[in-house]
Coordinates of all heavy atoms in Angstrom, one line a residue:
M1 N -13.9 20.8 -9.6 CA -12.6 21.7 -9.7 C -12.1 21.6 -11.1 O -12.0 20.6 -11.7 CB -11.7 21.1 -8.7 CG -10.3 21.7 -8.6 SD -9.1 21.2 -7.4 CE -9.3 19.4 -7.2
S2 N -11.8 22.8 -11.6 CA -11.3 22.9 -13.0 C -10.0 22.3 -13.1 O -9.1 22.2 -12.2 CB -11.3 24.4 -13.4 OG -10.2 25.0 -12.8
Q3 N -9.5 22.0 -14.4 CA -8.3 21.4 -14.6 C -7.1 22.4 -14.3 O -6.1 22.0 -13.9 CB -8.2 20.9 -16.1 CG -9.1 19.7 -16.3 CD -8.7 18.5 -15.5 OE1 -7.6 18.2 -15.3 NE2 -9.8 17.8 -15.1
I4 N -7.4 23.6 -14.7 CA -6.3 24.7 -14.3 C -6.1 24.8 -12.9 O -4.9 24.9 -12.4 CB -6.9 26.1 -14.9 CG1 -6.9 26.0 -16.5 CG2 -5.9 27.2 -14.4 CD1 -7.5 27.1 -17.1
R5 N -7.1 24.7 -12.0 CA -7.1 24.8 -10.6 C -6.3 23.6 -10.0 O -5.4 23.7 -9.2 CB -8.4 25.0 -9.8 CG -8.3 25.1 -8.4 CD -9.6 25.7 -7.8 NE -9.5 25.7 -6.4 CZ -9.0 26.6 -5.7 NH1 -8.4 27.6 -6.1 NH2 -9.1 26.5 -4.4
K6 N -6.7 22.4 -10.5 CA -5.9 21.1 -10.2 C -4.5 21.3 -10.4 O -3.6 20.9 -9.7 CB -6.5 20.0 -10.9 CG -7.9 19.6 -10.4 CD -8.3 18.4 -11.2 CE -9.6 17.9 -10.7 NZ -10.1 16.6 -11.4
L7 N -4.1 21.7 -11.6 CA -2.7 22.0 -12.0 C -2.0 23.0 -11.1 O -0.9 22.9 -10.7 CB -2.7 22.4 -13.5 CG -1.2 22.6 -14.1 CD1 -0.5 21.4 -14.0 CD2 -1.3 23.1 -15.5
Q8 N -2.6 24.1 -10.8 CA -2.1 25.2 -10.0 C -1.8 24.6 -8.6 O -0.7 24.8 -8.1 CB -3.1 26.4 -9.9 CG -2.5 27.5 -9.0 CD -3.6 28.6 -8.9 OE1 -4.8 28.4 -8.9 NE2 -3.1 29.8 -8.6
I9 N -2.6 23.7 -8.1 CA -2.4 23.3 -6.7 C -1.3 22.2 -6.8 O -0.4 22.3 -6.0 CB -3.6 22.5 -6.3 CG1 -4.8 23.6 -5.8 CG2 -3.4 21.6 -5.0 CD1 -6.1 22.9 -5.6
K10 N -1.2 21.4 -7.8 CA 0.0 20.4 -8.1 C 1.2 21.2 -8.2 O 2.3 20.7 -7.6 CB -0.4 19.5 -9.2 CG -1.5 18.5 -8.9 CD -1.8 17.8 -10.2 CE -3.2 17.2 -10.1 NZ -3.6 16.6 -11.3
I11 N 1.3 22.2 -9.0 CA 2.6 23.0 -9.2 C 3.0 23.6 -7.9 O 4.1 23.5 -7.6 CB 2.3 24.1 -10.2 CG1 2.2 23.4 -11.6 CG2 3.5 25.0 -10.3 CD1 1.7 24.4 -12.7
E12 N 2.1 24.1 -7.1 CA 2.5 24.8 -5.8 C 3.0 23.6 -4.8 O 3.9 23.9 -4.0 CB 1.4 25.6 -5.2 CG 1.1 26.8 -6.0 CD 2.4 27.7 -6.2 OE1 3.4 27.7 -5.5 OE2 2.3 28.5 -7.2
I13 N 2.4 22.4 -4.8 CA 2.9 21.3 -4.1 C 4.3 21.0 -4.4 O 5.2 20.9 -3.6 CB 1.9 20.1 -4.2 CG1 0.7 20.4 -3.5 CG2 2.7 18.9 -3.5 CD1 -0.4 19.3 -3.7
L14 N 4.6 20.9 -5.8 CA 6.0 20.5 -6.3 C 6.9 21.7 -5.9 O 8.0 21.3 -5.4 CB 5.9 20.4 -7.8 CG 5.1 19.1 -8.3 CD1 5.0 19.2 -9.8 CD2 5.6 17.8 -7.8
R15 N 6.5 22.9 -6.0 CA 7.4 24.0 -5.7 C 7.8 24.0 -4.2 O 8.9 24.2 -3.9 CB 6.8 25.3 -6.2 CG 6.8 25.7 -7.6 CD 6.1 27.0 -7.9 NE 6.3 27.3 -9.3 CZ 5.5 28.1 -10.0 NH1 4.5 28.7 -9.4 NH2 5.6 28.3 -11.3
A16 N 6.8 23.8 -3.4 CA 7.0 23.8 -2.0 C 8.0 22.7 -1.6 O 8.9 22.9 -0.8 CB 5.8 23.7 -1.2
L17 N 7.8 21.5 -2.2 CA 8.7 20.4 -1.8 C 10.1 20.6 -2.4 O 11.1 20.3 -1.9 CB 8.1 19.1 -2.3 CG 6.9 18.7 -1.5 CD1 6.2 17.4 -2.0 CD2 7.1 18.5 0.0
N18 N 10.2 21.3 -3.6 CA 11.5 21.4 -4.2 C 12.3 22.4 -3.4 O 13.5 22.3 -3.2 CB 11.3 22.1 -5.7 CG 12.5 22.1 -6.4 OD1 13.2 21.1 -6.6 ND2 12.8 23.3 -7.0
A19 N 11.6 23.4 -2.7 CA 12.3 24.5 -2.0 C 12.9 23.7 -0.7 O 13.8 24.3 -0.1 CB 11.4 25.4 -1.5
C20 N 12.4 22.6 -0.3 CA 13.0 21.9 0.8 C 14.5 21.1 0.5 O 15.0 20.8 1.5 CB 11.9 20.8 1.4 SG 10.5 21.5 2.1
E21 N 14.8 21.1 -0.7 CA 16.0 20.5 -1.1 C 16.3 19.1 -0.4 O 17.3 18.9 0.2 CB 17.2 21.5 -0.7 CG 17.0 22.8 -1.5 CD 18.1 23.8 -1.2 OE1 18.9 23.6 -0.3 OE2 18.1 24.8 -1.9
G22 N 15.2 18.2 -0.6 CA 15.5 16.9 -0.1 C 15.1 16.6 1.3 O 15.2 15.5 1.8
I23 N 14.6 17.6 2.0 CA 14.2 17.3 3.4 C 12.7 17.2 3.3 O 11.9 18.0 2.7 CB 14.6 18.6 4.3 CG1 16.1 18.6 4.3 CG2 13.9 18.5 5.7 CD1 16.5 19.9 5.1
A24 N 12.2 16.2 4.1 CA 10.7 15.9 4.1 C 10.0 17.0 4.8 O 10.4 17.5 5.8 CB 10.5 14.6 4.8
M25 N 8.8 17.4 4.2 CA 8.0 18.4 4.8 C 6.6 17.7 5.3 O 6.1 16.9 4.6 CB 7.6 19.5 3.6 CG 6.7 20.6 4.3 SD 6.2 21.7 2.9 CE 7.7 22.7 2.7
S26 N 6.3 18.2 6.5 CA 5.1 17.6 7.1 C 3.8 18.0 6.2 O 3.8 19.1 5.6 CB 4.8 18.0 8.5 OG 4.4 19.3 8.6
E27 N 2.8 17.1 6.2 CA 1.7 17.4 5.4 C 1.0 18.7 5.8 O 0.5 19.5 5.1 CB 0.7 16.2 5.5 CG -0.5 16.3 4.5 CD -1.3 15.1 4.4 OE1 -0.6 14.0 4.2 OE2 -2.5 15.1 4.5
H28 N 1.0 18.8 7.2 CA 0.3 20.1 7.6 C 1.0 21.3 7.2 O 0.4 22.2 6.6 CB 0.4 20.0 9.2 CG -0.2 21.3 9.9 ND1 -1.5 21.6 9.8 CD2 0.5 22.4 10.4 CE1 -1.7 22.8 10.4 NE2 -0.5 23.3 10.7
T29 N 2.4 21.4 7.2 CA 3.1 22.5 6.8 C 2.9 22.7 5.2 O 2.7 23.8 4.8 CB 4.6 22.3 7.1 OG1 4.7 22.2 8.5 CG2 5.4 23.5 6.7
L30 N 2.9 21.6 4.6 CA 2.8 21.6 3.0 C 1.5 22.2 2.7 O 1.4 23.2 1.9 CB 3.1 20.3 2.5 CG 2.9 20.1 1.0 CD1 3.7 21.0 0.2 CD2 3.1 18.6 0.6
C31 N 0.5 21.7 3.2 CA -0.9 22.1 3.0 C -1.0 23.7 3.3 O -1.8 24.4 2.6 CB -2.0 21.2 3.7 SG -2.1 19.6 3.0
T32 N -0.5 24.1 4.5 CA -0.7 25.5 4.9 C 0.0 26.3 3.9 O -0.6 27.3 3.5 CB 0.0 25.6 6.3 OG1 -0.7 24.9 7.2 CG2 0.0 27.1 6.8
Q33 N 1.2 26.0 3.4 CA 2.0 26.8 2.5 C 1.2 26.9 1.1 O 1.0 27.9 0.6 CB 3.4 26.2 2.2 CG 4.1 27.0 1.3 CD 5.6 26.7 1.3 OE1 6.1 26.0 2.0 NE2 6.3 27.2 0.2
V34 N 0.7 25.8 0.6 CA -0.1 25.8 -0.7 C -1.4 26.6 -0.5 O -1.8 27.4 -1.4 CB -0.4 24.3 -1.1 CG1 -1.3 24.3 -2.4 CG2 1.0 23.6 -1.5
R35 N -2.0 26.5 0.7 CA -3.3 27.3 0.9 C -3.0 28.8 0.9 O -3.8 29.6 0.5 CB -4.0 26.8 2.2 CG -4.5 25.5 2.1 CD -5.2 25.0 3.3 NE -6.7 25.6 3.0 CZ -7.5 26.0 4.0 NH1 -7.1 25.8 5.3 NH2 -8.7 26.4 3.7
I36 N -1.8 29.2 1.3 CA -1.4 30.7 1.2 C -1.2 31.2 -0.2 O -1.5 32.2 -0.6 CB -0.1 30.8 2.2 CG1 -0.5 30.7 3.7 CG2 0.4 32.2 1.9 CD1 0.7 30.7 4.6
L37 N -0.6 30.2 -0.9 CA -0.1 30.5 -2.4 C -1.1 30.5 -3.4 O -1.1 31.2 -4.5 CB 1.1 29.7 -2.7 CG 2.3 29.9 -1.9 CD1 3.3 28.8 -2.2 CD2 2.9 31.3 -2.1
V38 N -2.2 29.7 -3.2 CA -3.3 29.4 -4.3 C -4.4 30.3 -3.8 O -4.9 30.2 -2.6 CB -3.7 27.9 -4.3 CG1 -4.8 27.7 -5.4 CG2 -2.4 27.1 -4.8
S39 N -5.0 31.0 -4.8 CA -6.2 31.8 -4.6 C -7.3 31.4 -5.6 O -7.0 31.3 -6.8 CB -5.9 33.3 -4.6 OG -7.0 34.1 -4.4
P40 N -8.6 31.3 -5.1 CA -8.9 31.2 -3.8 C -8.3 30.0 -3.1 O -8.0 29.1 -3.6 CB -10.5 31.2 -4.0 CG -10.8 30.7 -5.2 CD -9.6 31.1 -6.1
T41 N -8.4 30.2 -1.8 CA -7.8 29.2 -0.8 C -8.4 27.9 -1.2 O -9.7 27.7 -1.1 CB -8.0 29.6 0.6 OG1 -7.4 30.9 0.9 CG2 -7.5 28.6 1.6
P42 N -7.6 26.9 -1.4 CA -8.2 25.5 -1.8 C -8.6 24.8 -0.5 O -8.2 25.0 0.7 CB -7.0 24.7 -2.3 CG -5.7 25.5 -2.0 CD -6.2 26.9 -1.6
L43 N -9.7 24.0 -0.7 CA -10.2 23.1 0.4 C -9.2 22.0 0.6 O -8.4 21.7 -0.2 CB -11.5 22.4 -0.1 CG -12.6 23.4 -0.5 CD1 -13.8 22.6 -1.2 CD2 -13.1 24.3 0.7
M44 N -9.3 21.5 1.8 CA -8.3 20.4 2.2 C -8.5 19.2 1.2 O -7.6 18.5 0.9 CB -8.5 20.0 3.7 CG -7.9 21.0 4.6 SD -6.2 21.4 4.4 CE -5.4 19.9 4.8
S45 N -9.8 19.0 0.9 CA -10.1 17.8 -0.1 C -9.3 18.1 -1.4 O -8.9 17.1 -2.0 CB -11.6 17.7 -0.2 OG -12.1 18.9 -0.8
E46 N -9.2 19.3 -1.9 CA -8.5 19.7 -3.1 C -7.1 19.3 -2.9 O -6.4 18.8 -3.9 CB -8.8 21.1 -3.5 CG -10.2 21.4 -3.9 CD -10.4 22.9 -4.2 OE1 -10.2 23.7 -3.3 OE2 -10.8 23.1 -5.4
L47 N -6.5 19.8 -1.8 CA -5.1 19.5 -1.5 C -4.8 18.0 -1.4 O -3.8 17.6 -2.0 CB -4.6 20.2 -0.2 CG -4.7 21.7 -0.2 CD1 -4.5 22.3 1.1 CD2 -3.7 22.3 -1.2
H48 N -5.7 17.3 -0.7 CA -5.4 15.8 -0.6 C -5.5 15.2 -2.0 O -4.8 14.2 -2.2 CB -6.4 15.2 0.3 CG -6.1 15.6 1.8 ND1 -7.0 15.9 2.7 CD2 -4.8 15.7 2.4 CE1 -6.4 16.2 3.8 NE2 -5.2 16.1 3.7
E49 N -6.4 15.6 -2.8 CA -6.6 15.0 -4.2 C -5.3 15.3 -5.0 O -4.8 14.4 -5.7 CB -7.8 15.7 -4.9 CG -7.9 15.2 -6.3 CD -9.0 15.8 -7.1 OE1 -10.0 16.3 -6.3 OE2 -9.1 15.9 -8.3
G50 N -4.7 16.5 -4.8 CA -3.5 16.8 -5.6 C -2.4 16.0 -5.0 O -1.5 15.4 -5.8
L51 N -2.3 15.7 -3.7 CA -1.2 15.0 -3.1 C -1.3 13.5 -3.6 O -0.3 12.9 -3.9 CB -1.3 15.0 -1.6 CG -0.8 16.3 -0.9 CD1 -1.3 16.3 0.6 CD2 0.6 16.5 -1.0
R52 N -2.5 13.0 -3.5 CA -2.7 11.6 -4.0 C -2.3 11.3 -5.5 O -1.7 10.4 -5.8 CB -4.2 11.1 -3.7 CG -4.6 11.1 -2.3 CD -3.7 10.4 -1.4 NE -4.0 10.7 0.0 CZ -3.1 11.2 0.8 NH1 -1.8 11.2 0.5 NH2 -3.4 11.5 2.1
H53 N -2.7 12.3 -6.3 CA -2.4 12.2 -7.7 C -0.9 12.2 -7.9 O -0.4 11.4 -8.7 CB -3.0 13.4 -8.5 CG -2.6 13.4 -9.9 ND1 -3.2 12.5 -10.9 CD2 -1.7 14.1 -10.6 CE1 -2.5 12.7 -12.0 NE2 -1.7 13.7 -11.8
L54 N -0.2 13.2 -7.3 CA 1.3 13.3 -7.4 C 1.9 12.0 -6.9 O 2.9 11.7 -7.5 CB 1.7 14.6 -6.8 CG 1.4 15.9 -7.5 CD1 1.7 17.1 -6.6 CD2 2.0 16.0 -8.7
E55 N 1.4 11.5 -5.8 CA 2.0 10.2 -5.2 C 1.8 9.1 -6.2 O 2.7 8.3 -6.4 CB 1.4 10.0 -3.9 CG 2.0 8.8 -3.2 CD 1.5 8.5 -1.9 OE1 0.3 8.7 -1.6 OE2 2.2 8.1 -1.0
T56 N 0.6 9.0 -6.7 CA 0.3 7.9 -7.6 C 1.1 7.9 -8.9 O 1.5 6.8 -9.4 CB -1.3 8.0 -8.1 OG1 -2.0 7.9 -6.9 CG2 -1.7 6.8 -9.0
T57 N 1.4 9.1 -9.3 CA 2.2 9.3 -10.6 C 3.7 9.4 -10.3 O 4.5 9.7 -11.1 CB 1.7 10.5 -11.4 OG1 1.9 11.7 -10.5 CG2 0.3 10.3 -11.8
K58 N 4.0 9.1 -9.0 CA 5.4 9.0 -8.6 C 6.1 10.3 -8.7 O 7.4 10.4 -8.9 CB 6.1 7.9 -9.3 CG 5.4 6.5 -9.1 CD 6.3 5.4 -9.3 CE 5.7 4.1 -9.1 NZ 4.8 3.8 -8.0
R59 N 5.5 11.5 -8.5 CA 6.2 12.8 -8.5 C 6.6 13.2 -7.1 O 7.4 14.0 -6.9 CB 5.1 13.9 -9.0 CG 4.6 13.7 -10.4 CD 5.7 13.3 -11.4 NE 5.2 13.6 -12.8 CZ 4.9 12.6 -13.6 NH1 5.0 11.3 -13.2 NH2 4.6 12.8 -14.9
I60 N 5.9 12.6 -6.0 CA 6.2 12.8 -4.7 C 6.0 11.5 -4.0 O 5.4 10.5 -4.4 CB 5.3 13.8 -4.0 CG1 3.8 13.5 -4.0 CG2 5.4 15.2 -4.6 CD1 2.9 14.3 -3.2
V61 N 6.6 11.4 -2.8 CA 6.5 10.1 -2.0 C 6.1 10.5 -0.5 O 6.7 11.5 -0.1 CB 7.7 9.3 -2.0 CG1 9.0 10.0 -1.5 CG2 7.5 7.9 -1.4
G62 N 5.2 9.8 0.0 CA 4.7 10.0 1.4 C 5.6 9.1 2.4 O 5.7 7.9 2.1
V63 N 6.1 9.7 3.3 CA 6.9 8.9 4.4 C 6.2 9.0 5.7 O 5.9 10.1 6.2 CB 8.4 9.4 4.5 CG1 9.2 8.8 5.5 CG2 9.1 9.6 3.2
P64 N 5.8 7.9 6.2 CA 5.1 7.9 7.5 C 5.9 8.5 8.6 O 7.1 8.2 8.8 CB 4.7 6.4 7.8 CG 4.9 5.7 6.5 CD 5.9 6.6 5.8
G65 N 5.4 9.5 9.3 CA 6.0 10.1 10.4 C 5.6 9.6 11.7 O 4.7 8.7 11.8
A66 N 5.9 10.3 12.7 CA 5.4 9.9 14.2 C 3.9 10.2 14.2 O 3.4 10.9 13.4 CB 6.2 10.7 15.2
L67 N 3.3 9.6 15.1 CA 1.8 9.9 15.2 C 1.4 11.3 15.3 O 0.5 11.7 14.7 CB 1.3 9.1 16.4 CG 1.2 7.6 16.4 CD1 0.8 7.0 17.7 CD2 0.4 7.1 15.3
E68 N 2.3 12.1 16.0 CA 2.0 13.5 16.1 C 2.2 14.3 14.8 O 1.5 15.2 14.5 CB 2.8 14.2 17.2 CG 2.8 13.5 18.6 CD 3.8 12.3 18.6 OE1 5.0 12.4 18.1 OE2 3.4 11.2 19.1
S69 N 3.1 13.8 14.0 CA 3.4 14.6 12.7 C 2.8 14.1 11.5 O 2.6 14.8 10.5 CB 4.9 14.7 12.6 OG 5.4 13.4 12.4
G70 N 2.3 12.9 11.6 CA 1.6 12.4 10.3 C 2.6 12.1 9.2 O 3.8 12.0 9.4
T71 N 2.1 12.1 8.0 CA 2.8 11.9 6.8 C 3.8 13.1 6.5 O 3.3 14.2 6.6 CB 2.0 11.7 5.6 OG1 1.0 10.6 5.9 CG2 2.7 11.3 4.3
K72 N 5.0 12.8 6.1 CA 5.9 13.8 5.5 C 6.1 13.4 4.1 O 6.1 12.3 3.6 CB 7.2 13.8 6.3 CG 7.0 14.2 7.7 CD 8.4 14.3 8.5 CE 8.2 14.8 9.8 NZ 9.4 15.2 10.4
W73 N 6.3 14.6 3.3 CA 6.3 14.4 1.8 C 7.7 14.8 1.3 O 8.4 15.8 1.8 CB 5.2 15.3 1.2 CG 3.8 14.8 1.5 CD1 3.1 15.2 2.5 CD2 3.2 13.7 0.9 NE1 1.9 14.5 2.6 CE2 2.0 13.6 1.7 CE3 3.5 12.8 -0.2 CZ2 1.0 12.6 1.2 CZ3 2.5 11.9 -0.5 CH2 1.4 11.8 0.1
L74 N 8.2 14.1 0.2 CA 9.4 14.3 -0.5 C 9.1 14.4 -1.9 O 8.3 13.7 -2.4 CB 10.5 13.2 -0.2 CG 11.1 13.1 1.1 CD1 11.8 11.7 1.4 CD2 12.1 14.3 1.3
L75 N 9.9 15.3 -2.6 CA 9.8 15.3 -4.0 C 10.8 14.3 -4.7 O 11.9 14.0 -4.2 CB 10.4 16.7 -4.5 CG 10.2 17.2 -5.9 CD1 8.8 17.2 -6.4 CD2 10.9 18.5 -6.1
T76 N 10.3 13.5 -5.7 CA 11.0 12.5 -6.4 C 11.7 13.1 -7.5 O 11.5 14.3 -8.0 CB 10.2 11.4 -6.9 OG1 9.3 11.8 -7.9 CG2 9.4 10.7 -5.7
D77 N 12.7 12.4 -8.1 CA 13.4 12.8 -9.4 C 12.3 13.1 -10.5 O 12.5 14.1 -11.2 CB 14.4 11.9 -9.8 CG 15.6 11.8 -8.9 OD1 15.8 12.7 -8.1 OD2 16.4 10.8 -9.0
N78 N 11.3 12.2 -10.5 CA 10.2 12.6 -11.5 C 9.6 13.9 -11.3 O 9.2 14.6 -12.2 CB 9.2 11.4 -11.5 CG 9.7 10.1 -12.1 OD1 10.7 10.1 -12.8 ND2 9.0 9.0 -11.7
G79 N 9.4 14.1 -10.0 CA 8.7 15.3 -9.7 C 9.6 16.6 -10.0 O 9.1 17.7 -10.4
K80 N 10.8 16.6 -9.7 CA 11.8 17.6 -10.0 C 11.8 17.8 -11.6 O 11.8 19.0 -12.0 CB 13.2 17.2 -9.6 CG 13.4 17.2 -8.1 CD 14.8 16.8 -7.7 CE 14.8 16.6 -6.2 NZ 16.2 16.1 -5.8
A81 N 11.8 16.7 -12.3 CA 11.8 16.8 -13.8 C 10.5 17.5 -14.3 O 10.6 18.3 -15.2 CB 12.0 15.4 -14.4
E82 N 9.4 17.1 -13.8 CA 8.2 17.7 -14.2 C 8.1 19.2 -13.8 O 7.6 20.0 -14.6 CB 6.9 16.9 -13.5 CG 5.7 17.6 -14.0 CD 4.4 16.7 -13.7 OE1 4.7 15.5 -13.9 OE2 3.4 17.3 -13.5
L83 N 8.5 19.5 -12.7 CA 8.6 20.9 -12.2 C 9.5 21.8 -13.2 O 9.1 22.9 -13.6 CB 8.9 21.1 -10.8 CG 9.0 22.5 -10.2 CD1 7.6 23.2 -10.3 CD2 9.4 22.6 -8.8
A84 N 10.7 21.2 -13.5 CA 11.6 21.9 -14.3 C 11.0 22.1 -15.8 O 11.1 23.1 -16.3 CB 12.9 21.1 -14.5
S85 N 10.2 21.0 -16.2 CA 9.6 21.1 -17.5 C 8.5 22.2 -17.5 O 8.4 23.1 -18.4 CB 9.0 19.8 -17.9 OG 8.2 20.0 -19.0
I86 N 7.7 22.3 -16.4 CA 6.6 23.2 -16.3 C 7.2 24.7 -16.2 O 6.7 25.6 -17.0 CB 5.7 22.9 -15.1 CG1 4.9 21.7 -15.3 CG2 4.8 24.1 -14.7 CD1 4.3 21.1 -14.0
E87 N 8.2 24.8 -15.5 CA 8.6 26.2 -15.3 C 9.6 26.6 -16.5 O 9.5 27.8 -16.8 CB 9.6 26.2 -14.0 CG 8.7 26.1 -12.8 CD 9.4 26.2 -11.5 OE1 10.7 26.0 -11.4 OE2 8.8 26.6 -10.5
S88 N 10.0 25.8 -17.3 CA 10.8 26.1 -18.5 C 9.8 26.5 -19.7 O 10.1 27.3 -20.5 CB 11.7 25.1 -19.1 OG 11.1 23.9 -19.5
N89 N 8.6 26.0 -19.6 CA 7.6 26.4 -20.6 C 6.7 27.5 -20.1 O 5.9 27.9 -20.9 CB 6.6 25.1 -20.8 CG 7.4 24.0 -21.4 OD1 8.2 24.2 -22.3 ND2 7.1 22.7 -21.2
G90 N 7.1 28.2 -19.0 CA 6.5 29.4 -18.6 C 5.1 29.1 -18.0 O 4.2 29.9 -17.9

């Protein structure tokens, strides 16, 4: 996977979570939204790689949900700052 594609996936993850305004989004919903926005449609492995990278770098945080809903994701202050920086640089 190219660096540009990795970045595109990460940006769309950050944007999707930013739009939630502090409400946790289920992993299923988040992945579905990013798969709609990124072309060609990313593989689930690409999405999970992006999620893990953003979590490791403290841009997002995973919150365990009920067994049926799985992990829910929230944007951190670091993630908000990175997204603002990316969007201000065009």
